[in-house]
Amino acid sequence: MTEHPRSRPPGREREPGPPPEHRAAGAGPVPPDPGERVHPVPGDPWDLTPGQSWGPLGGVGAPGPGHRPAAEHPEGAAPGRRADDHPPLPELDGVADALALLAPRGTAGDPRPGGESAPGPSALGSRAPGDAPHHEASSHEAPRHRPDDRPPAPDRPSAAGPSAAPPAGAASPRRPARGHGPGAPAWTEARAIAAREGRRFPGGTRTAPLAEALGHVLAEPLTALCDLPFFDTSAMDGWAVSGPGPWHIRDAAVLAGHADAEALADGTAVRIATGARVPRETTAVIRSEHARADEAKGLLHAERSVVPGQDIRPRAQECRSGERLLGSGTAVTPAVLGLAAAAGYDELRTVRPVRAEILVLGDELLPSGLPREGLIRDALGPMVGPWLRALGAESVTTRRILDDEEALHRAVADSEAELLVTTGGTAAGPVDHVRPVLRRLGARLLVEGVAVRPGHPMLLARLAPGRCLVGLPGNPLAAVSALLTLAEPLLRGLTGRPTAEPSRIPVHTSVQGHPHDTRLVPVRHTAGRLVPLRYHGPAMLRGIAGADALAVVPPGGARPGDALEVLGLPWTSWAHPGTEEGCST
């Protein structure tokens, strides 16, 4: 799979990390995969490029925008930040608010490290009551870990003392990094922000016939409209008998769907079909294979002991009228449709599905045919729509937009969808127009970059109450990461689905981790263990196409046997939380 050129973040292609013999399994952070692009961070030993050298306080090469001389950094202060800056207020909502507060006073457009400009108040809009607080990243740099095959950096002073590698598997403190911006939320925090936004503006409800309710979500509990079963029924084909045997055979048969049969006299038997209403005064039903009929004498003999009530389904065995069967928020599956029909329903009250629109951005994308002359096939257009439907959206339309800011602005402004999803254009390149368009529209950026790989340039914005935009990176696996990080919890909230309980499963082999960010790795669940798959670069789909889940790998990686959180794909059993049970059988 060829990556989308437009999605390349600033920086160079990652060189392969240290060879395995220099890297202890799970022993602290290791460089990302060769196929993964990582934005260089001043002072990060992984990011030296030819011609660069170590500078004061870990800087490399020439000082970038926002760099301050060492003398200007008071003890304990992070580079690029004033010692007298106050932490963000606890009421802040989203990364953009925090960035605006961190900017020096009166200079909302001051450059950030990496050349981006912090949005001013006009880009943020006014904060809505009840917005979730957004916490600031750590003001101290993470401890550095230097691979054995890299030359040691020259000694340089540090107020924090000598650097040390974090313990194996431990999460490094967050610090600003080019690519997802200073203050980018951790992966778990970004998912929580998306879920809260969905719950703030849940969708409306509608009444749908059973035939149209599949895949929707119950807007209210499902309660039984009648007893189940509604009358005593036979559980087997056989004989209904009354009293002790042997029994005189009655010349008749009781069939399902027919009117009540007359009551059985003591000592008599009558043939009965599965599902037929049991005659009054019936003691038990004897299966055909457990009885012997003496036709000459007209008698029925049981070949096994007979227990009163055997093979009879008594009225209300499953549940009684008015009993709660399923809770609101339950996904309507084929089994739920069957239960609803049995309980007397012709239609269901469901949450109205979210209308979604996908905007596929890029001059370089071909809708069909083979790649040619700098053009590549669009892999996201065919994939994202079905993925959103599997997550609960409907009326999904897909439009292709060239690299034109005005065209994108018109498409976003004119859309009537409740969820807009863009592919590509979320970085800071010359044709990455998503952020400028959002600023022009006065959208509120709730998530602007996430500390996760792949997919760190993803974003979430509120266009209006109940209308959101999720910006996916252009690389295919990075887009999948963004779908599961932001779109999935957002749609759960909008459609009333409960949050799934996370599953944790041991990993079979060691998994390389990013020094500072969470990694999402395609895996298969085999023999009770997670097996990481190859071909998991951000531009690749081969690994995820053969996976049944993504493993959440913490910063620093995982050792064999470590239990990792599992993100089930929409078509796997991990993706659906258990439903509430009513009465038991």
Side-chain angles (χ1 to χ4, degrees), residues 63-75:
H67 178 77
R68 301 174 65 198
E72 295 184 27
H73 295 297
E75 181 174 347

Side-chain angles (χ1 to χ4, degrees), residues 205-423:
T205 62
R206 70 175 185 182
T207 300
L210 293 184
E212 300 176 10
L214 182 64
H216 297 179
V217 175
L218 294 180
E220 59 189 13
L222 186 74
T223 56
L225 302 181
C226 62
D227 293 345
L228 284 180
F230 192 61
F231 44 76
D232 294 349
T233 60
S234 175
M236 293 288 169
D237 292 333
W239 300 86
V241 299
S242 179
W247 302 270
H248 291 280
I249 299 174
R250 200 169 73 183
D251 292 333
V254 181
L255 305 177
H258 287 245
D260 291 354
E262 62 180 271
L264 279 181
D266 191 49
T268 60
V270 64
R271 284 194 175 275
I272 192 167
T274 301
R277 185 168 187 167
V278 173
R280 297 184 304 279
E281 306 302 329
T282 296
T283 302
V285 170
I286 305 175
R287 304 182 187 190
S288 298
E289 61 269 27
H290 297 164
R292 176 175 56 84
D294 185 341
E295 301 291 346
K297 297 181 179 179
L299 292 177
L300 179 73
H301 299 272
E303 296 188 333
R304 297 190 181 185
S305 59
V306 177
V307 178
Q310 74 179 29
D311 288 329
I312 294 175
R313 295 174 182 151
R315 177 170 182 159
Q317 180 188 46
E318 188 169 358
C319 53
R320 295 193 175 278
S321 178
E323 192 164 355
R324 176 169 161 155
L325 304 175
L326 297 170
S328 59
T330 300
V332 180
T333 63
V336 170
L337 291 176
L339 176 62
Y345 286 86
D346 298 317
E347 54 190 19
L348 293 173
R349 193 74 179 165
T350 62
V351 178
R352 185 173 54 77
V354 174
R355 292 169 294 158
E357 184 173 13
I358 303 162
L359 303 180
V360 179
L361 312 181
D363 293 346
E364 75 278 15
L365 302 179
L366 291 169
S368 60
L370 294 174
R372 63 181 185 273
E373 300 172 355
L375 303 178
I376 61 174
R377 278 296 298 271
D378 168 30
L380 296 183
M383 179 180 73
V384 175
W387 206 302
L388 291 177
R389 290 187 190 95
L391 292 176
E394 77 166 15
S395 302
V396 179
T397 58
T398 300
R399 283 199 284 166
R400 302 183 187 279
I401 309 292
L402 297 179
D403 287 323
D404 181 279
E405 183 175 334
E406 291 304 319
L408 179 58
H409 181 272
R410 288 193 300 271
V412 176
D414 296 343
S415 176
E416 297 181 354
E418 294 148 312
L419 173 62
L420 266 172
V421 176
T422 59
T423 67

Side-chain angles (χ1 to χ4, degrees), residues 9-20:
R12 61 184 181 87
E13 181 71 37
R14 167 71 62 194
E15 295 296 329

Side-chain angles (χ1 to χ4, degrees), residues 108 189 209 556:
E189 186 179 356

Side-chain angles (χ1 to χ4, degrees), residues 89-95 97 124-135 192-193 196-201 443-446 462 464-466:
L89 296 175
E91 296 297 322
L92 287 178
D93 177 10
V95 174
D97 292 27
L124 300 175
S126 58
R127 189 180 175 281
D131 280 355
H134 187 79
H135 302 292
I193 292 171
R196 285 197 299 268
E197 181 67 11
R199 290 193 296 268
R200 280 172 60 92
F201 305 104
R444 176 180 292 276
L445 278 167
L446 304 175
R462 183 192 304 155

Side-chain angles (χ1 to χ4, degrees), residues 518-542:
T518 298
R519 283 190 70 207
L520 302 182
V521 178
V523 293
R524 286 199 66 81
H525 186 208
T526 304
R529 296 272 173 149
L530 299 178
V531 179
L533 301 179
R534 297 174 59 197
Y535 307 106
H536 49 70
M540 300 178 180
L541 285 175
R542 186 171 173 181

Side-chain angles (χ1 to χ4, degrees), residues 17 22 80 103 107 112 156 161 208 224 369 406 413 450 483 485 501 525 546 584:
H22 293 294
T107 57
R112 307 176 196 162
R156 51 191 186 274
E406 291 304 319
V450 178
L483 281 170
T485 300
E501 288 296 323
H525 186 208
S584 59

